[in-house]
Structures are given as C-alpha cells and as structure tokens.
Amino acid sequence: WVLRFRMDHAEGARRIEALLAWASAEENVFKDAAAADKLYSEVLGQEPTNGAALEARSRILLDLGDVEGAAAMIARRRDLREGAERTALELELSQILLERLGRVDEALSAVEPVLDAEPGNVGALKLLERALGRLDSRRRAAEMLERACDACGDEGVSARILTLLIATALMVRVGSERY
C-alpha cells in the first residue's frame, strides 16, 4: 500500500519513478511478474521511450512465455540506441527471431547491420553459423558469410569463416549422397 500511496501522490517524473519502484518491487520482492509487467506497461504508456521499463518488459515477457511481445520490446529498445548497445540488442533480437520464433528472414535482416559495421563480430558469426544448419536459411547465411569474409580485415576471422563455409558445403554434399 505504501507503493500505491507514493504513486498516487506523485506527479510527472516522480510518478514515473514511483511506478518503476513499485514495478521493481513486484518483480523482485513479491515475485509477481504479471503485476510488474502491468506496472511497466503503465510507465511506457506515460513515457514510451523509458529504457528501464522497456528492458524490464522484454525480460518479463520472455519469462512469461510471450516471445513475440519480448521481441517487440527488444526492437523498441534497439531503435532508441546506438553503437555497442544497439549491436548487442540487434544480436539479442536476431537470436530470439531465429531460435525461438523461427522467423529466419527477419533474424538475418536484423543481424545484417551488425555485419556491415563489424564483419568479424563473433555474435553475428555464431548466429550465421546456426542459420547455416537450417535448410531454409542456408543460402542467405552463406552469402552473408561470404560478404563478411570479403569485408573482414582479420585473416584469422576470414579463415574461420572459410572453414565454416567449406565444412557446411561438405556436410550438405555428404548428406545428399546418402539419399
């Protein structure tokens, strides 16, 4: 009741602070993810770009099994960031799209700006490696890896990419010979 009182008697930025404190208590102290999510949603209703609320909602929605909702929150957070933070969110979103939602084209599109900016990004390369293992994304992932290899100035990374592409080609060839 103290948290409700604080929120009810606050205005403007103080109201947002009170809502965030209450939501955090619901999530971390009372372990009520649904109540916390509702309060974080209320924060976003008043301040749509609130980073703390967007981050908390993406985490809570994943925990509650709403992967679509979590992906949408991560995309909103990503759109508000630049540099390393944006890259990390692009990779997080790509992983969720590929592995949890099976939205391969969107996952590869989300990781593309990361590779354009940093062709040797380990997280992006790992995601493309997983995409190579899927029939529905193998060709596009291989093309993206080839571009990354061409753009990468690091011989070690280029060698790793080429090894991966060769291993994938051999795996596909051996697999097709079995049938």
Side-chain angles (χ1 to χ4, degrees), residues 103-165:
R103 291 169 27 195
V104 179
D105 286 335
E106 288 178 65
L108 295 177
S109 293
V111 82
E112 207 155 18
V114 175
L115 280 176
D116 290 343
E118 187 183 346
N121 182 288
V122 174
L125 294 175
K126 285 182 181 179
L127 186 119
L128 288 174
E129 184 175 353
R130 288 191 299 277
L132 280 175
R134 298 174 59 120
L135 185 59
D136 57 346
S137 60
R138 186 172 294 138
R139 171 172 269 129
R140 184 168 175 206
E143 290 169 354
M144 291 173 72
L145 283 167
E146 288 173 5
R147 282 195 310 274
C149 187
D150 290 342
C152 184
D154 184 326
E155 290 179 8
V157 173
S158 293
R160 180 172 174 251
I161 293 171
L162 288 172
T163 302
L164 179 60
L165 289 168

Side-chain angles (χ1 to χ4, degrees), residues 19 25 42 48 56 143-144 148 179:
L19 274 169
E42 192 172 334
E143 290 169 354
M144 291 173 72
Y179 300 104

Side-chain angles (χ1 to χ4, degrees), residues 18-38:
L19 274 169
L20 287 170
W22 186 3
S24 179
E26 290 290 351
E27 180 182 7
N28 300 307
V29 176
F30 306 122
K31 306 295 184 201
D32 188 343
D37 184 52
K38 183 176 178 184

